[in-house]
Amino acid sequence: MTDVTLFFREFARTRRDTGAIAPSSPQLARALTRHVVSSPDRPRAVLEVGPGTGAVTRHITAALGRLDTLDLVEANPRFAAMLARAYGHERRLRLLTGLVQEHELGSYDTIVCGLPFANFDAGTAQDIFDRLLGALRPGGTLSFFAYAGVPRLRRAFTTGAARERTLAVQAVVGRTLRGHSFATETVLGNLPPARVHHLAPVARTAYIG
């Protein structure tokens, strides 16, 4: 089974947990990994949360230096099994299966997150953001993405309890961006187009809308 076939099968089976409707495009992967830069001075530690079938992981591993390390946290057991087959030989890589909330994280220079925050409740989204930002070393970065235009559509087409949940989780994302975002870029070459947000433990500049 190819990674694309597995991705679409898992999306159909567990779309709330999978979140993305298609694997990340090369353009989106490049934007998400923009701050995965090897340092000649010391080994760097990278974390990817929600790697799925590894579309972004391939870009991360290509950017790693000889002494750098990569932790992957994947909740979907079928995706995790595919990643284990692809990267089981990589001594620089550690694969953790399960929810990111279930693991004791290390400290990282760069974190890339592919989790579908829009599908979570506000408490879960806040907990994950707190954990990831708390795992960053000084000067570290956290990059994640959301589909362009989807937050507005969710507000427009949800009602009742679903709308309340949508507004609550979007408030969490908005507060996080205002407090920590230093750059945002739009990626049109993705299905659908996406916005990539780059965060730091303390925001370097005002949020770019």
Side-chain angles (χ1 to χ4, degrees):
M1 183 183 300
T2 67
D3 56 348
V4 174
T5 301
L6 176 60
F7 187 96
F8 283 117
R9 192 183 76 174
E10 290 304 300
F11 174 74
R13 197 179 66 86
T14 60
R15 68 179 60 190
R16 182 182 180 278
D17 297 322
T18 302
I21 66 172
S24 298
S25 69
Q27 294 93 325
L28 178 56
R30 284 194 293 271
L32 284 167
T33 59
R34 193 168 307 287
H35 297 284
V36 182
V37 180
S38 185
S39 169
D41 302 324
R42 62 178 176 84
R44 293 176 61 84
V46 181
L47 168 67
E48 185 184 6
V49 183
T53 57
V56 177
T57 311
R58 289 188 284 272
H59 288 256
I60 296 176
T61 55
L64 292 178
R66 185 173 57 87
L67 299 178
D68 295 341
T69 60
L70 171 61
D71 285 352
L72 301 177
V73 180
E74 176 52 58
N76 184 303
R78 284 155 292 279
F79 289 160
M82 172 174 276
L83 293 166
R85 291 192 295 271
Y87 296 104
H89 64 285
E90 272 277 5
R91 298 179 61 185
R92 301 173 298 175
L93 187 148
R94 180 175 64 150
L95 175 61
L96 305 173
T97 304
L99 300 174
V100 66
Q101 305 96 300
E102 299 171 345
H103 294 286
E104 188 74 28
L105 300 178
S107 59
Y108 303 93
D109 298 283
T110 312
I111 299 176
V112 175
C113 181
L115 296 181
F117 286 102
N119 290 0
F120 300 151
D121 61 79
T124 299
Q126 186 68 69
D127 181 34
I128 294 172
F129 275 126
D130 288 345
R131 288 173 183 271
L132 298 185
L133 288 165
L136 286 175
R137 295 172 177 171
T141 61
L142 162 63
S143 299
F144 76 99
F145 77 96
Y147 291 128
V150 169
R152 185 175 301 145
L153 289 173
R154 284 178 178 265
R155 290 194 299 271
F157 292 101
T158 54
T159 60
R163 178 175 171 78
E164 291 180 8
R165 185 192 66 80
T166 292
L167 294 176
V169 74
Q170 288 184 6
V172 168
V173 174
R175 286 195 303 270
T176 302
L177 292 176
R178 288 190 294 273
H180 299 280
S181 176
F182 65 88
T184 297
E185 51 188 302
T186 300
V187 179
L188 298 177
N190 190 71
L191 180 65
R195 302 194 78 191
V196 175
H197 303 287
H198 303 291
L199 281 60
V202 177
R204 301 173 186 173
T205 65
Y207 167 61
I208 303 172

